[in-house]
Amino acid sequence: MSRNIKPKPDGPVYPHMKPFQLDSDPTTYDGFRVPDGYFDSLTDRVFDRLEATPVEVTRKRYGRRRNWYAAVAAVALLALVVPFAWQQFAASAPIDDTTLENYLNDEANLNSYEVGELLDEHDISHLEAQLPVDDQAIEDALYQNANLENYIAD
């Protein structure tokens, strides 16, 4: 569908307006008058004024200052935040052995065989030094245990 308005062949497009011609009809005065020949010399006068006034070149310095302010603010923020964060990480106390042992017994669902598989030679030698067991204690434990055949067969 075309949006162009086409005049009807038998009359004007806008019947409520009276016809007029710009060249022949006197126009209404709008209140603004330009002296005769004003636009003929306008460009010369404008260029004369431009050449007469010196042009000062100003450098914008606020952009650099803003970068410096942002850098100083970032350093100040880091100087304030890092000590608190460092203190939080350093303040966490190491877990004592009793707490760790209770967790492994209650929550981890590990049996003694699985714990033994996780130990290396250094850990075993450390445990042997802490828990001295003589041969007599081992013989007594084996003698009192009714399932000796399970240990010997494995």
Side-chain angles (χ1 to χ4, degrees):
M1 184 174 214
S2 177
R3 293 189 158 252
N4 295 334
I5 299 173
K6 296 180 181 177
K8 295 180 185 176
D10 58 342
V13 176
Y14 302 105
H16 57 281
M17 292 180 61
K18 64 181 185 174
F20 65 92
Q21 292 182 352
L22 290 175
D23 295 334
S24 64
D25 290 342
T27 57
T28 58
Y29 176 67
D30 59 359
F32 298 101
R33 286 198 175 242
V34 179
D36 293 335
Y38 178 78
F39 291 108
D40 296 336
S41 63
L42 179 65
T43 55
D44 295 332
R45 286 183 290 157
V46 169
F47 283 120
D48 290 341
R49 278 190 186 172
L50 285 175
E51 291 171 359
T53 57
V55 177
E56 294 182 21
V57 177
T58 58
R59 296 175 62 188
K60 295 181 180 179
R61 304 187 106 204
Y62 64 87
R64 290 183 181 171
R65 284 186 184 159
R66 189 179 331 156
N67 290 344
W68 276 104
Y69 292 149
V72 169
V75 168
L77 182 67
L78 282 175
L80 292 174
V81 170
V82 167
F84 291 115
W86 191 270
Q87 189 177 23
Q88 287 293 331
F89 291 125
S92 61
I95 300 172
D96 60 338
D97 294 336
T98 308
T99 306
L100 183 60
E101 186 177 334
N102 289 337
Y103 173 76
L104 289 175
N105 284 335
D106 298 337
E107 303 293 331
N109 295 328
L110 295 174
N111 59 23
S112 59
Y113 296 109
E114 291 171 339
V115 172
E117 289 176 0
L118 296 175
L119 297 176
D120 60 357
E121 292 295 326
H122 175 67
D123 294 332
I124 293 172
S125 64
H126 184 69
L127 285 173
E128 286 176 351
Q130 283 183 348
L131 304 170
V133 179
D134 58 347
D135 292 336
Q136 184 62 35
I138 294 174
E139 288 179 11
D140 290 340
L142 291 175
Y143 181 71
Q144 292 175 359
N145 191 353
N147 296 330
L148 266 178
E149 294 174 4
N150 290 340
Y151 293 118
I152 295 173
D154 287 338

